[in-house]
Amino acid sequence: MITPLDAFLQWFDDLPVPLRRHLAHIFRICTTDDTSQMVALPQQSLERFRHWAVKSDFPLRTAARLFYIRSIFDMVILHHKEICRDHDFFPISDETKNIIQLSSRQWEDILESWIDLRSKEMSDTYVHSWTSWMIKLQSEAK
C-alpha cells in the first residue's frame, strides 16, 4: 500500500523542476506569515517545501500536513487561471523573475494528473483510512 504522502511526492517529483519550483513557491506565498519569505528564490521555496512535506511527525500531524498540502494545491491548480492572471498576487522581485509562465497545455496536464491523484491515493477515504491505520500502529507500539 502506497501512502498518500508517498503518492503525492511521486506525483510532485514527476513534474519538471521548473513546475515544482513554481508550485512550491506559490504554496509558500499562500501559506507563510513571514512576508520576507515571499521573495525567496523559487529553488529555496522548493527545498523548504520538500523538507517540510517529508518531515517525520506523529500520525495526526502528518495527516494534517497532507490535508494542508492537498487543500492549497487544490486551490492553486484548480484556480490557476484566476491566480496567475493577477500578477499583483505574486510579489515579483529580481530574484523571483525566473519563475516560468506555464503554458495552458502544461496546466491541463497538471490538472488531469492532480485530479487522478485526488481520486485515488489523496481522496478523503484513502487519507482517512491511512490516518486510522497509522494511529492504530502507533497505539499498538505503546
Side-chain angles (χ1 to χ4, degrees):
M1 174 176 149
I2 186 170
T3 71
L5 182 58
D6 288 340
F8 168 77
L9 291 172
Q10 283 179 359
W11 173 85
F12 189 70
D13 291 345
D14 282 347
L15 297 174
V17 173
L19 299 182
R20 279 186 267 155
R21 285 182 187 143
H22 183 77
L23 290 170
H25 196 67
I26 294 172
F27 184 90
R28 167 164 273 179
I29 290 169
C30 292
T31 59
T32 187
D33 290 331
D34 181 358
T35 55
S36 67
Q37 295 298 314
M38 291 183 176
V39 293
L41 294 172
Q43 182 60 34
Q44 291 171 323
S45 294
L46 176 58
E47 290 165 4
R48 289 177 182 157
F49 171 77
R50 186 100 166 88
H51 176 74
W52 176 81
V54 300
K55 186 170 97 175
S56 293
D57 219 329
F58 61 93
L60 288 177
R61 285 180 55 97
T62 301
R65 186 178 308 119
L66 188 62
F67 282 116
Y68 193 44
I69 290 169
R70 191 180 76 175
S71 65
I72 298 297
F73 272 66
D74 270 348
M75 178 188 69
V76 171
I77 292 170
L78 299 175
H79 299 283
H80 72 274
K81 288 180 185 175
E82 297 89 348
I83 291 171
C84 293
R85 180 181 60 221
D86 186 3
H87 297 293
D88 294 335
F89 183 80
F90 301 107
I92 300 295
S93 68
D94 289 338
E95 293 85 20
T96 59
K97 286 184 180 175
N98 64 346
I99 295 177
I100 61 165
Q101 293 298 317
L102 304 177
S103 73
S104 294
R105 183 68 211 148
Q106 286 171 311
W107 276 115
E108 288 173 25
D109 291 344
I110 291 171
L111 179 61
E112 288 173 23
S113 65
W114 179 251
I115 289 171
D116 184 55
L117 179 64
R118 283 285 276 114
S119 70
K120 294 177 182 168
E121 293 92 355
M122 286 190 67
S123 68
D124 284 346
T125 302
Y126 199 96
V127 174
H128 287 292
S129 296
W130 171 69
T131 305
S132 296
W133 175 74
M134 287 192 336
I135 292 169
K136 182 179 177 188
L137 282 180
Q138 183 180 24
S139 297
E140 290 173 355
K142 290 182 181 179

